[in-house]
Every structure is written in structure tokens, then in C-alpha cells.
Amino acid sequence: MKRRDLREMLADLDPDLEVLCYIEDPSLVQPDRTFLVLDIRAVSTPHAERTRTGDGGLQFGRSSNSERFVMFELRPTRD
């Protein structure tokens, strides 16, 4: 998703609404729940290179193959 796509999705919503995220990955949620609700703690725009290693992650830092990302730092919401 591009930032402009997110902006378009949020454009008509009340700007005072809280933003939450959720995940349904069974390896990350607790056994007694089917999903985990997350808060956006911070937003940053780091440079990183997409890696093709086993974890499919990002290698942070500038290089000839890096690009800038909008990154959300997430944390579980309080119960």
C-alpha cells in the first residue's frame, strides 16, 4: 500500500478517531483470543532495502538498492 492509498482511505473519516490495527496470525495472538488489537505508537520514514533472505525482511540503512518506507511502530493495546 502506498501512503496516498492510505490517505484516500482515511480522507472522509472523522480526524479525531483513534487509529488501531489488528492481526489474526495464530503465532502472534494468545490462545484464548482470535486476534490481537494494536496501537500505532510512532510513524517513521526510514531508508531500507528489501531482503530476499529467509525472513523476507528489511535491511535498514541507505544503499544503492534502498528505498524510503513509511513505517508504523505498533504495540498491543491495553486490556
Side-chain angles (χ1 to χ4, degrees), residues 21-66:
C21 303
Y22 76 96
I23 190 164
E24 296 176 345
D25 185 332
S27 68
L28 299 175
V29 297
Q30 298 171 3
D32 60 335
R33 296 183 180 178
T34 57
F35 63 93
L36 178 65
V37 178
L38 306 166
D39 270 327
I40 297 173
R41 183 174 186 183
V43 178
S44 61
T45 56
H47 280 85
E49 182 177 336
R50 296 174 199 252
T51 61
R52 299 277 184 207
T53 59
D55 66 358
L58 296 172
Q59 181 175 350
F60 291 95
R62 290 181 186 232
S63 74
S64 59
N65 294 321
S66 69

Side-chain angles (χ1 to χ4, degrees), residues 1-30:
M1 173 185 288
K2 301 288 185 189
R3 190 186 68 84
R4 78 172 143 257
D5 298 329
L6 179 59
R7 185 176 176 200
E8 288 174 13
M9 293 171 75
L10 299 174
D12 293 331
L13 301 179
D14 179 345
D16 293 322
L17 292 174
E18 187 167 348
V19 177
L20 299 174
C21 303
Y22 76 96
I23 190 164
E24 296 176 345
D25 185 332
S27 68
L28 299 175
V29 297
Q30 298 171 3

